[in-house]
Every structure is written in structure tokens, then in C-alpha cells.
Amino acid sequence: MGLNLRITVHIMGLLLLCNGGFMLLAALVSGIYQDGATIDIAMAAIVTLMVGVMAMFYTRGHRKEIKRKEGYIIVTFGWIVMSLSGVLPYIFSGAIPSITDAFFETISGYTTTGASILNDIEVLPKGILFWRSLTHWIGGMGIIVLAIAILPLLGIGGMQLFAAEAPGPGGDKLHPRITDTAKRLWFIYVGYTVAETILLKLAGMSFFDAANHALATLSTGGFSTKNASVAYWNNQPLIQYIIIVFMFLAGTNFVISYFAFTKKIQRVIKDEEFRVYSFFVLGFTLVAFLIVLLQADVPVSDYHPQVWGKTESSFRHALFQVLAIITTTGFVTADFTNWTPFLTVFFFGLMFLGGSAGSTSGGIKVMRHLLIIKNGILEFKRTLHTNAIIPVRYNNKTVTEHIVYNIIAFFVLYMLLFIIGALVLAFLGLDFESAVGGAASSLGNVGPALGDLNPVVNFSELPAFGKWWCGFLMLLGRLELFTVLILFTPFFWKRT
């Protein structure tokens, strides 16, 4: 039996309806602030809704069966279709007239990367800024469902292990039905977003800025409403500490948050990935803090005496940037590439870490690093005891060899794609630092990079092909590599 393309198109239509609905919300915000873009955004919404309705109408009566092949196509083309339709508010309003630039900004939003081509964000209509932040939030919601409901079924990149920890047959499932699991995690996602918005407003942000930064934080995206990003509030430490807390939560497996809210604290404490993730954040922050304090020059808060201000400010900037890079949120409070050469390389290395599986963060993920390290250590034992069966264990459960091989394959493929990505950018004329930084940032969905793509610049000077290439890398990284790359294999399209 061939591919069930009718249901694939039907779901694309459903996604377009959702996208159009969010555009109407952005048009409403535009109307409230009377920024002059209301009609343009509304027209973009109407076009998107019409295409979605037609797609669903002409594919009604489809065979209600999604097999693995359709799953890969739906996931990959779902993100592409959302990104292609998401350019319309930018194009119709004239905020980003170039198709290439508009697509880069949009796919950077949906993949929660946060890399931008905009040189002056603050002149844009508020409705467009809100739409920009919404693309993050939509992508973040999609990633939760992807991690919980779809990738484990497709056997992608070791996510079967996460399936055993969350909605699958393992002991940690939230609810027997995947849809109910996704609903519970979406509820947490929305709740965190509302809570951060309120706290940021109380801490001194305007309601508009608070809402936008909450949307960007929980999705680990990083689009800001200010040209200086969160550095705009360097003299308001409380705002930055609130964002720090929610970046940490967004980089945590959302199942862990569910366990915490349902008072299953022991499951939180005993979760290996959460412990390692927390240890990484604290350990790397300590290293960055000491070097920033002793060698770098950071802004001192206006709210503290000079000596304490230097210490507190160094700690805050170090913690903020470590979390922003590990969770791939990409907000910045300072240009960390100007601190010291060691910290430039240090933060470049953190771009390959990523947050927890089941979070909205990008990157390789802590779980994969943990299992690769465990397997590497056990290889020494296996060398000494050749006949012994020594399995890798995770959360006191044996990890099958298939999952271990899958994770190793993912890691090798990730590094290979990083090298290829950097080579392409170098071929386009970028210097070494910019090429490797741009490739690592795009593939890891981090946002800020190095060299000419550093945190205080952006991706606007990239050649047109470079922007499309980085957009492709963002999609690859966001969808766990295999999901996209398998579509390029000839055997995928053979009838079975």
C-alpha cells in the first residue's frame, strides 16, 4: 500500500487553520495598539485560513490511518508549511519585504532558534513583533507534542527512551492516552507563559514586553522586542532573574514539571537527566562567573554598592548566558564573545549541549550526552571482561542496544552535519569563526553565534543562499535530524 498523501494534505490544512487563527490574534494586538498593520496581518490570516480550508475540503473522506512514512512527511512538511505561511504577515505589512529574509525570520521563529535578520526591531509595528514572538511559542508547543506523541513512535534519535519515561508502556507515563499527555503538558506550557508574563509585568516591564518575552522564554526561542535583547534591562536585575528561572524550567523535561506539580518529588529528584542538567548549569555557571568576575568587564547594576554590584552582576550575567546557551534560548545580556577568548570557546562548546529531552530546547540534549558518556565508560569494562554482558542503565532501567546505537548514530550525524554546515558557510565567504559559529548556532537552534554573527550583530549580512542554508540547518536540528534526512533516501519512497 502506498503513501496516504490525502491525510497528509488534510493535516497540513489543519495546521494552516491553526496558523491563521494565531495570525488573527496578532491582528487583534495590532488593532489594540493601532500600529497601522492590522489590515495587513488580517489579510495574511484570511489567505492562510482559505488555503487551509481548501486543503481540508478537497481531502475529506481520507483514509484515517497514519503510518510511519506519513509521520515523517507530516512532521517535516508541517514545519515547512507553517514557515511558508508564516511569512505572509511580514510580506503583506512590508516589515520584511524580501522573501528570503522573511522566510529566515519565520523559520528561525518556528524552530525556536531566535537568529534574526532585523537590524532595528523597535521600529516594527507591535502586531508584527507579537506575531514574531508567537512563531516561537507555536513552535515550542509543537515540539512538546512532537517529543511526546510522534518522535517516539517513529523511533527517532533515542526518543524511544523518552517514550518509556513519559507516555509509553513504561512506569512514568502521565496518562495512558498520548493526546491526554500532550494536553497536560500544554497546560503546563501555557501556565508557565502566563506566570512569567505576570511576574515580568510586576517587575517593571510593560505588559507588551512581558508577554513577548514570556512567549520567547518558554519556547526557548529568544526573539526580543528590544534591539539590545534582555541587556535593555541590565539595571533591573529582578527582570533578568525571572527570565533565568523560566529559562531553566523551559530547558527541563516538561514531564518533570508535571511530576513536581503532582507532588511526585521523588521522581524529580531521582531523574538522572534532571540531576545532570542541573549540575551542568551550576558547574558551568561557576566557571563562567569566576572568569567574568576576575577578567571580564560587565555592567554593574545601579541597585547595589560597587563591590557587591560587581560580584552580583558577574554572577547574573554568567548564569544568564550559560542558561541562554544551554537551553538554546539565545537571549543576551552582554556580548559574551567580548569577555575573554576562553569564554568565547567555552560558550561555543555549550552550543552543542542542549537542554533536556521533552523540553522546548534544541541541541543534542543532555540525555544523549549522558548515555554516550555512560556507554563510553562501560566500553573500558567490556574490554577487560569480554564475555560479560554490561548494559547501559538510565534511571535504573536497562537501555537496549538499539537505542544506544541510535544515539551514537545521531551524535555522529550531528557532528558531520555541523562540519558540512560550516564548510558551506565558509565557501560563501564567511571567516572561520563566523562559519563554525553560524553552523553550530543554526543546527543547535541557539540563536546568537560567533564572529560576524555574534550576539550584538545578526544574520542580516549573510548571502541569500547562506540564509536558506541556515534555515535548513535549523529545521534539521529542530526535528532531530533523521526526520528530515530520511526523506532524501531513495528507499523511503519505494512502495512496500
Side-chain angles (χ1 to χ4, degrees):
M1 187 177 292
L3 289 169
N4 185 1
L5 291 180
R6 287 178 65 84
I7 193 171
T8 303
V9 175
H10 194 82
I11 292 176
M12 294 302 110
L14 180 61
L15 290 174
L16 286 173
L17 290 184
C18 293
N19 224 21
F22 280 112
M23 287 181 196
L24 288 177
L25 181 59
L28 176 63
V29 170
S30 177
I32 291 171
Y33 285 97
Q34 298 182 342
D35 58 14
T38 308
I39 295 176
D40 297 321
I41 301 173
M43 286 298 297
I46 291 169
V47 171
T48 304
L49 290 168
M50 287 177 60
V51 175
V53 168
M54 286 190 292
M56 295 188 74
F57 178 78
Y58 286 111
T59 55
R60 65 192 188 282
H62 56 273
R63 189 172 75 251
K64 293 185 168 100
E65 181 183 18
I66 299 177
K67 293 187 177 179
R68 183 167 287 200
K69 281 190 175 182
E70 285 89 359
Y72 289 114
I73 294 173
I74 288 168
V75 171
T76 302
F77 282 93
W79 250 262
I80 293 173
V81 165
M82 294 287 276
S83 298
L84 288 173
S85 62
V87 306
L88 296 181
Y90 296 126
I91 299 295
F92 284 15
S93 67
I96 308 178
S98 163
I99 291 288
T100 295
D101 287 347
F103 182 78
F104 181 93
E105 197 77 12
T106 307
I107 199 166
S108 178
Y110 283 112
T111 59
T112 70
T113 302
S116 180
I117 50 81
L118 294 169
N119 291 311
D120 192 352
I121 298 164
E122 296 173 29
V123 300
L124 294 179
K126 281 186 163 56
I128 293 297
L129 288 178
F130 187 71
W131 170 245
R132 186 169 171 259
S133 299
L134 268 180
T135 58
H136 270 341
W137 200 71
I138 298 165
M141 281 201 298
I143 288 304
I144 293 174
V145 174
L146 194 67
I148 294 292
I150 300 174
L151 291 185
L153 303 180
L154 301 181
I156 295 299
M159 292 302 286
Q160 312 95 300
L161 183 61
F162 179 58
E165 294 300 314
D172 285 343
K173 60 186 178 182
L174 308 186
H175 195 275
R177 295 181 59 189
I178 288 174
T179 52
D180 289 326
T181 295
K183 285 176 185 176
R184 281 160 172 75
L185 299 189
W186 273 29
F187 182 76
I188 293 171
Y189 185 70
V190 174
Y192 277 158
T193 306
V194 172
E196 186 183 359
T197 301
I198 294 170
L199 289 173
L200 288 176
K201 177 68 174 69
L202 293 174
M205 271 192 181
S206 69
F207 179 75
F208 180 78
D209 288 336
N212 278 272
H213 283 82
L215 294 173
T217 304
L218 268 301
S219 62
T220 65
F223 280 156
S224 176
T225 54
K226 302 297 182 184
N227 293 328
S229 188
V230 183
Y232 183 87
W233 292 278
N234 273 346
N235 64 340
Q236 294 174 268
L238 180 58
I239 285 176
Q240 296 182 350
Y241 280 119
I242 291 170
I243 294 174
I244 283 170
V245 170
F246 283 94
M247 280 197 294
F248 180 83
L249 292 172
T252 306
N253 186 335
F254 273 71
V255 175
I256 294 296
S257 290
Y258 179 84
F259 289 152
F261 286 125
T262 52
K263 300 180 181 178
K264 299 175 182 176
I265 304 301
Q266 284 301 314
R267 288 193 176 185
V268 176
I269 296 171
K270 291 181 179 179
D271 186 83
E272 283 192 67
E273 184 181 38
F274 179 71
R275 293 204 307 265
V276 172
Y277 167 66
S278 302
F279 174 78
F280 279 167
V281 170
L282 292 173
F284 293 138
T285 297
L286 180 60
V287 172
F289 163 62
L290 291 174
I291 294 175
V292 170
L293 180 64
L294 299 174
Q295 297 184 15
D297 182 26
V298 297
V300 177
S301 170
D302 294 338
Y303 287 7
H304 300 291
Q306 189 67 24
V307 176
W308 170 241
K310 171 70 172 176
T311 304
E312 183 278 331
S313 188
S314 297
F315 171 77
R316 173 162 40 91
H317 285 290
L319 175 59
F320 192 101
Q321 291 308 151
V322 165
L323 262 173
I325 300 299
I326 288 179
T327 64
T328 70
T329 306
F331 282 140
V332 291
T333 57
D335 182 4
F336 56 80
T337 62
N338 274 339
W339 282 348
T340 69
F342 172 84
L343 285 179
T344 300
V345 178
F346 177 80
F347 282 110
F348 173 70
L350 293 186
M351 291 181 185
F352 293 89
L353 189 56
S356 305
S359 72
T360 57
S361 64
I364 294 175
K365 304 291 194 304
V366 171
M367 181 192 72
R368 291 194 180 99
H369 286 287
L370 177 60
L371 291 178
I372 288 172
I373 291 169
K374 281 191 170 190
N375 187 64
I377 292 172
L378 290 179
E379 280 299 324
F380 291 110
K381 285 188 177 181
R382 295 176 187 135
T383 301
L384 291 174
H385 308 284
T386 54
N387 295 324
I389 299 175
I390 309 174
V392 177
R393 299 185 69 81
Y394 176 76
N395 282 347
N396 295 318
K397 297 174 185 176
T398 299
V399 179
T400 65
E401 284 191 351
H402 169 68
I403 291 177
V404 174
Y405 293 153
N406 196 309
I407 289 172
I408 293 172
F410 178 94
F411 188 82
V412 171
L413 188 57
Y414 191 97
M415 298 310 296
L416 182 62
L417 287 167
F418 159 66
I419 294 169
I420 294 172
L423 284 173
V424 170
L425 292 178
F427 180 77
L428 294 174
L430 274 70
D431 60 71
F432 174 79
E433 194 175 356
S434 303
V436 297
S441 175
S442 299
L443 192 59
N445 307 125
V446 177
L450 308 178
D452 295 335
L453 308 175
N454 70 63
V456 296
V457 193
N458 59 24
F459 286 64
S460 62
E461 295 305 313
L462 270 181
F465 181 78
K467 292 171 183 172
W468 288 98
W469 177 249
C470 285
F472 176 64
L473 291 178
M474 292 174 198
L475 186 67
L476 281 176
R478 183 74 280 180
L479 300 185
E480 304 285 330
L481 307 187
F482 296 115
T483 318
V484 179
L485 294 178
I486 197 171
L487 301 183
F488 292 90
T489 59
F491 50 79
F492 177 85
W493 302 100
K494 287 183 180 178
R495 295 176 68 89
T496 55

PDB file of all heavy atoms in Angstrom, residues 3 5 8-9 33 45 86 91 146 150 162 164 204 228-229 244 266 279 300 318 330 338 386 396 463 475 494:
ATOM      1  N   LEU A   3       1.746   5.577  -0.019  1.00  0.00           N
ATOM      2  CA  LEU A   3       1.605   6.629   0.987  1.00  0.00           C
ATOM      3  C   LEU A   3       0.181   7.164   1.007  1.00  0.00           C
ATOM      4  O   LEU A   3      -0.459   7.328  -0.039  1.00  0.00           O
ATOM      5  CB  LEU A   3       2.575   7.774   0.676  1.00  0.00           C
ATOM      6  CG  LEU A   3       4.065   7.512   0.900  1.00  0.00           C
ATOM      7  CD1 LEU A   3       4.878   8.646   0.292  1.00  0.00           C
ATOM      8  CD2 LEU A   3       4.365   7.373   2.385  1.00  0.00           C
ATOM      9  N   LEU A   5      -1.283  10.113   1.093  1.00  0.00           N
ATOM     10  CA  LEU A   5      -0.994  11.539   0.950  1.00  0.00           C
ATOM     11  C   LEU A   5      -2.203  12.414   1.267  1.00  0.00           C
ATOM     12  O   LEU A   5      -2.057  13.580   1.643  1.00  0.00           O
ATOM     13  CB  LEU A   5      -0.496  11.830  -0.464  1.00  0.00           C
ATOM     14  CG  LEU A   5       0.896  11.265  -0.801  1.00  0.00           C
ATOM     15  CD1 LEU A   5       1.287  11.608  -2.231  1.00  0.00           C
ATOM     16  CD2 LEU A   5       1.942  11.800   0.171  1.00  0.00           C
ATOM     17  N   THR A   8      -2.137  13.385   4.760  1.00  0.00           N
ATOM     18  CA  THR A   8      -1.018  14.307   4.957  1.00  0.00           C
ATOM     19  C   THR A   8      -1.434  15.730   4.597  1.00  0.00           C
ATOM     20  O   THR A   8      -1.206  16.674   5.364  1.00  0.00           O
ATOM     21  CB  THR A   8       0.187  13.877   4.099  1.00  0.00           C
ATOM     22  OG1 THR A   8       0.551  12.541   4.435  1.00  0.00           O
ATOM     23  CG2 THR A   8       1.372  14.793   4.323  1.00  0.00           C
ATOM     24  N   VAL A   9      -2.075  15.876   3.431  1.00  0.00           N
ATOM     25  CA  VAL A   9      -2.543  17.194   2.998  1.00  0.00           C
ATOM     26  C   VAL A   9      -3.628  17.709   3.942  1.00  0.00           C
ATOM     27  O   VAL A   9      -3.696  18.902   4.264  1.00  0.00           O
ATOM     28  CB  VAL A   9      -3.064  17.130   1.546  1.00  0.00           C
ATOM     29  CG1 VAL A   9      -3.672  18.471   1.130  1.00  0.00           C
ATOM     30  CG2 VAL A   9      -1.938  16.741   0.595  1.00  0.00           C
ATOM     31  N   TYR A  33      -3.182  48.256  19.633  1.00  0.00           N
ATOM     32  CA  TYR A  33      -2.117  49.263  19.703  1.00  0.00           C
ATOM     33  C   TYR A  33      -2.173  50.260  18.534  1.00  0.00           C
ATOM     34  O   TYR A  33      -1.362  51.189  18.494  1.00  0.00           O
ATOM     35  CB  TYR A  33      -0.748  48.587  19.745  1.00  0.00           C
ATOM     36  CG  TYR A  33      -0.436  47.963  21.083  1.00  0.00           C
ATOM     37  CD1 TYR A  33      -0.654  46.615  21.311  1.00  0.00           C
ATOM     38  CD2 TYR A  33       0.048  48.737  22.134  1.00  0.00           C
ATOM     39  CE1 TYR A  33      -0.391  46.033  22.550  1.00  0.00           C
ATOM     40  CE2 TYR A  33       0.323  48.174  23.377  1.00  0.00           C
ATOM     41  CZ  TYR A  33       0.098  46.816  23.572  1.00  0.00           C
ATOM     42  OH  TYR A  33       0.356  46.251  24.793  1.00  0.00           O
ATOM     43  N   ALA A  45      -3.912  36.418   7.533  1.00  0.00           N
ATOM     44  CA  ALA A  45      -4.680  35.387   8.227  1.00  0.00           C
ATOM     45  C   ALA A  45      -5.762  34.805   7.332  1.00  0.00           C
ATOM     46  O   ALA A  45      -5.951  33.583   7.272  1.00  0.00           O
ATOM     47  CB  ALA A  45      -5.302  35.968   9.494  1.00  0.00           C
ATOM     48  N   GLY A  86       3.782  31.492   7.421  1.00  0.00           N
ATOM     49  CA  GLY A  86       4.133  32.470   8.451  1.00  0.00           C
ATOM     50  C   GLY A  86       4.835  33.705   7.921  1.00  0.00           C
ATOM     51  O   GLY A  86       4.950  34.712   8.644  1.00  0.00           O
ATOM     52  N   ILE A  91       5.425  39.968   4.818  1.00  0.00           N
ATOM     53  CA  ILE A  91       5.385  40.424   3.423  1.00  0.00           C
ATOM     54  C   ILE A  91       4.258  41.442   3.218  1.00  0.00           C
ATOM     55  O   ILE A  91       4.457  42.512   2.640  1.00  0.00           O
ATOM     56  CB  ILE A  91       5.195  39.226   2.469  1.00  0.00           C
ATOM     57  CG1 ILE A  91       6.368  38.238   2.587  1.00  0.00           C
ATOM     58  CG2 ILE A  91       5.043  39.703   1.024  1.00  0.00           C
ATOM     59  CD1 ILE A  91       7.690  38.786   2.143  1.00  0.00           C
ATOM     60  N   LEU A 146       5.587  16.924  19.555  1.00  0.00           N
ATOM     61  CA  LEU A 146       6.495  16.111  18.753  1.00  0.00           C
ATOM     62  C   LEU A 146       7.262  15.130  19.633  1.00  0.00           C
ATOM     63  O   LEU A 146       7.338  13.932  19.347  1.00  0.00           O
ATOM     64  CB  LEU A 146       7.479  17.034  18.027  1.00  0.00           C
ATOM     65  CG  LEU A 146       8.306  16.438  16.878  1.00  0.00           C
ATOM     66  CD1 LEU A 146       7.396  16.083  15.727  1.00  0.00           C
ATOM     67  CD2 LEU A 146       9.346  17.446  16.427  1.00  0.00           C
ATOM     68  N   ILE A 150       4.965  11.907  18.771  1.00  0.00           N
ATOM     69  CA  ILE A 150       5.297  11.485  17.414  1.00  0.00           C
ATOM     70  C   ILE A 150       6.676  10.854  17.306  1.00  0.00           C
ATOM     71  O   ILE A 150       6.816   9.719  16.836  1.00  0.00           O
ATOM     72  CB  ILE A 150       5.180  12.677  16.429  1.00  0.00           C
ATOM     73  CG1 ILE A 150       3.738  13.215  16.455  1.00  0.00           C
ATOM     74  CG2 ILE A 150       5.556  12.254  15.018  1.00  0.00           C
ATOM     75  CD1 ILE A 150       3.524  14.468  15.654  1.00  0.00           C
ATOM     76  N   PHE A 162      12.653   8.301  25.788  1.00  0.00           N
ATOM     77  CA  PHE A 162      11.766   9.284  26.387  1.00  0.00           C
ATOM     78  C   PHE A 162      10.334   8.767  26.393  1.00  0.00           C
ATOM     79  O   PHE A 162       9.575   9.012  27.318  1.00  0.00           O
ATOM     80  CB  PHE A 162      11.853  10.609  25.631  1.00  0.00           C
ATOM     81  CG  PHE A 162      10.946  11.664  26.182  1.00  0.00           C
ATOM     82  CD1 PHE A 162      11.059  12.050  27.511  1.00  0.00           C
ATOM     83  CD2 PHE A 162       9.996  12.263  25.397  1.00  0.00           C
ATOM     84  CE1 PHE A 162      10.220  13.026  28.034  1.00  0.00           C
ATOM     85  CE2 PHE A 162       9.159  13.228  25.917  1.00  0.00           C
ATOM     86  CZ  PHE A 162       9.274  13.611  27.234  1.00  0.00           C
ATOM     87  N   ALA A 164       9.440   5.758  26.881  1.00  0.00           N
ATOM     88  CA  ALA A 164       9.338   4.865  28.037  1.00  0.00           C
ATOM     89  C   ALA A 164       9.200   5.664  29.331  1.00  0.00           C
ATOM     90  O   ALA A 164       8.602   5.202  30.294  1.00  0.00           O
ATOM     91  CB  ALA A 164      10.568   3.968  28.107  1.00  0.00           C
ATOM     92  N   GLY A 204       8.476  45.302  36.371  1.00  0.00           N
ATOM     93  CA  GLY A 204       8.769  46.583  35.740  1.00  0.00           C
ATOM     94  C   GLY A 204       8.691  46.631  34.232  1.00  0.00           C
ATOM     95  O   GLY A 204       8.829  47.701  33.649  1.00  0.00           O
ATOM     96  N   ALA A 228      18.591  45.599  21.971  1.00  0.00           N
ATOM     97  CA  ALA A 228      19.637  45.143  22.887  1.00  0.00           C
ATOM     98  C   ALA A 228      19.278  43.832  23.575  1.00  0.00           C
ATOM     99  O   ALA A 228      20.010  43.377  24.452  1.00  0.00           O
ATOM    100  CB  ALA A 228      19.919  46.208  23.937  1.00  0.00           C
ATOM    101  N   SER A 229      18.144  43.216  23.186  1.00  0.00           N
ATOM    102  CA  SER A 229      17.653  41.998  23.833  1.00  0.00           C
ATOM    103  C   SER A 229      17.441  42.268  25.324  1.00  0.00           C
ATOM    104  O   SER A 229      17.069  43.389  25.709  1.00  0.00           O
ATOM    105  CB  SER A 229      18.622  40.839  23.599  1.00  0.00           C
ATOM    106  OG  SER A 229      18.076  39.605  24.065  1.00  0.00           O
ATOM    107  N   ILE A 244      15.694  34.050  33.988  1.00  0.00           N
ATOM    108  CA  ILE A 244      16.603  32.939  34.293  1.00  0.00           C
ATOM    109  C   ILE A 244      15.825  31.736  34.812  1.00  0.00           C
ATOM    110  O   ILE A 244      16.032  30.594  34.365  1.00  0.00           O
ATOM    111  CB  ILE A 244      17.665  33.384  35.331  1.00  0.00           C
ATOM    112  CG1 ILE A 244      18.743  34.235  34.655  1.00  0.00           C
ATOM    113  CG2 ILE A 244      18.303  32.180  36.027  1.00  0.00           C
ATOM    114  CD1 ILE A 244      19.686  34.923  35.626  1.00  0.00           C
ATOM    115  N   GLN A 266       9.932  12.739  44.516  1.00  0.00           N
ATOM    116  CA  GLN A 266      10.973  11.716  44.427  1.00  0.00           C
ATOM    117  C   GLN A 266      11.334  11.405  42.980  1.00  0.00           C
ATOM    118  O   GLN A 266      12.495  11.158  42.659  1.00  0.00           O
ATOM    119  CB  GLN A 266      10.515  10.434  45.139  1.00  0.00           C
ATOM    120  CG  GLN A 266      10.566  10.512  46.664  1.00  0.00           C
ATOM    121  CD  GLN A 266      11.965  10.797  47.179  1.00  0.00           C
ATOM    122  OE1 GLN A 266      12.932  10.183  46.738  1.00  0.00           O
ATOM    123  NE2 GLN A 266      12.078  11.736  48.108  1.00  0.00           N
ATOM    124  N   PHE A 279      23.323  19.993  37.337  1.00  0.00           N
ATOM    125  CA  PHE A 279      24.762  20.019  37.635  1.00  0.00           C
ATOM    126  C   PHE A 279      25.521  20.787  36.559  1.00  0.00           C
ATOM    127  O   PHE A 279      26.415  21.587  36.854  1.00  0.00           O
ATOM    128  CB  PHE A 279      25.297  18.591  37.742  1.00  0.00           C
ATOM    129  CG  PHE A 279      26.793  18.514  37.905  1.00  0.00           C
ATOM    130  CD1 PHE A 279      27.391  18.768  39.146  1.00  0.00           C
ATOM    131  CD2 PHE A 279      27.620  18.203  36.831  1.00  0.00           C
ATOM    132  CE1 PHE A 279      28.767  18.716  39.298  1.00  0.00           C
ATOM    133  CE2 PHE A 279      28.992  18.144  36.977  1.00  0.00           C
ATOM    134  CZ  PHE A 279      29.570  18.401  38.219  1.00  0.00           C
ATOM    135  N   VAL A 300      27.639  47.012  35.824  1.00  0.00           N
ATOM    136  CA  VAL A 300      27.325  46.884  37.249  1.00  0.00           C
ATOM    137  C   VAL A 300      25.928  47.449  37.482  1.00  0.00           C
ATOM    138  O   VAL A 300      25.594  48.532  37.009  1.00  0.00           O
ATOM    139  CB  VAL A 300      28.360  47.634  38.108  1.00  0.00           C
ATOM    140  CG1 VAL A 300      27.977  47.552  39.584  1.00  0.00           C
ATOM    141  CG2 VAL A 300      29.745  47.055  37.890  1.00  0.00           C
ATOM    142  N   ALA A 318      26.835  35.676  34.056  1.00  0.00           N
ATOM    143  CA  ALA A 318      27.355  34.329  33.800  1.00  0.00           C
ATOM    144  C   ALA A 318      26.223  33.310  33.801  1.00  0.00           C
ATOM    145  O   ALA A 318      26.099  32.494  32.878  1.00  0.00           O
ATOM    146  CB  ALA A 318      28.402  33.964  34.852  1.00  0.00           C
ATOM    147  N   GLY A 330      18.875  31.829  23.728  1.00  0.00           N
ATOM    148  CA  GLY A 330      19.532  32.812  22.879  1.00  0.00           C
ATOM    149  C   GLY A 330      19.361  34.263  23.281  1.00  0.00           C
ATOM    150  O   GLY A 330      19.835  35.150  22.576  1.00  0.00           O
ATOM    151  N   ASN A 338      33.032  39.037  23.742  1.00  0.00           N
ATOM    152  CA  ASN A 338      33.997  40.079  24.084  1.00  0.00           C
ATOM    153  C   ASN A 338      34.562  39.927  25.496  1.00  0.00           C
ATOM    154  O   ASN A 338      35.361  40.751  25.934  1.00  0.00           O
ATOM    155  CB  ASN A 338      33.348  41.476  23.962  1.00  0.00           C
ATOM    156  CG  ASN A 338      33.428  42.007  22.542  1.00  0.00           C
ATOM    157  OD1 ASN A 338      34.256  41.571  21.752  1.00  0.00           O
ATOM    158  ND2 ASN A 338      32.537  42.927  22.216  1.00  0.00           N
ATOM    159  N   THR A 386      35.534  -9.470  28.378  1.00  0.00           N
ATOM    160  CA  THR A 386      34.990  -9.623  27.018  1.00  0.00           C
ATOM    161  C   THR A 386      33.720 -10.464  26.960  1.00  0.00           C
ATOM    162  O   THR A 386      32.918 -10.310  26.040  1.00  0.00           O
ATOM    163  CB  THR A 386      36.055 -10.244  26.098  1.00  0.00           C
ATOM    164  OG1 THR A 386      36.518 -11.471  26.697  1.00  0.00           O
ATOM    165  CG2 THR A 386      37.227  -9.294  25.903  1.00  0.00           C
ATOM    166  N   ASN A 396      17.895   3.647  36.435  1.00  0.00           N
ATOM    167  CA  ASN A 396      17.831   2.279  36.968  1.00  0.00           C
ATOM    168  C   ASN A 396      17.126   1.303  36.041  1.00  0.00           C
ATOM    169  O   ASN A 396      16.664   0.253  36.472  1.00  0.00           O
ATOM    170  CB  ASN A 396      17.152   2.256  38.351  1.00  0.00           C
ATOM    171  CG  ASN A 396      17.957   3.010  39.388  1.00  0.00           C
ATOM    172  OD1 ASN A 396      19.188   2.901  39.425  1.00  0.00           O
ATOM    173  ND2 ASN A 396      17.279   3.786  40.222  1.00  0.00           N
ATOM    174  N   PRO A 463      24.860  35.991   2.801  1.00  0.00           N
ATOM    175  CA  PRO A 463      24.337  35.914   1.437  1.00  0.00           C
ATOM    176  C   PRO A 463      22.989  35.204   1.429  1.00  0.00           C
ATOM    177  O   PRO A 463      22.668  34.456   2.363  1.00  0.00           O
ATOM    178  CB  PRO A 463      25.400  35.084   0.704  1.00  0.00           C
ATOM    179  CG  PRO A 463      26.622  35.146   1.555  1.00  0.00           C
ATOM    180  CD  PRO A 463      26.153  35.314   2.956  1.00  0.00           C
ATOM    181  N   LEU A 475      15.988  23.623  10.658  1.00  0.00           N
ATOM    182  CA  LEU A 475      14.945  22.595  10.536  1.00  0.00           C
ATOM    183  C   LEU A 475      15.494  21.220  10.890  1.00  0.00           C
ATOM    184  O   LEU A 475      14.851  20.444  11.607  1.00  0.00           O
ATOM    185  CB  LEU A 475      14.380  22.597   9.115  1.00  0.00           C
ATOM    186  CG  LEU A 475      13.177  21.675   8.871  1.00  0.00           C
ATOM    187  CD1 LEU A 475      11.962  22.169   9.642  1.00  0.00           C
ATOM    188  CD2 LEU A 475      12.866  21.589   7.381  1.00  0.00           C
ATOM    189  N   LYS A 494      10.077   4.042  -1.850  1.00  0.00           N
ATOM    190  CA  LYS A 494       9.711   2.784  -2.509  1.00  0.00           C
ATOM    191  C   LYS A 494       8.410   2.251  -1.910  1.00  0.00           C
ATOM    192  O   LYS A 494       8.191   2.321  -0.707  1.00  0.00           O
ATOM    193  CB  LYS A 494      10.821   1.755  -2.340  1.00  0.00           C
ATOM    194  CG  LYS A 494      12.052   2.041  -3.198  1.00  0.00           C
ATOM    195  CD  LYS A 494      13.088   0.937  -3.035  1.00  0.00           C
ATOM    196  CE  LYS A 494      14.312   1.222  -3.896  1.00  0.00           C
ATOM    197  NZ  LYS A 494      15.361   0.183  -3.724  1.00  0.00           N
TER     198      LYS A 494
END
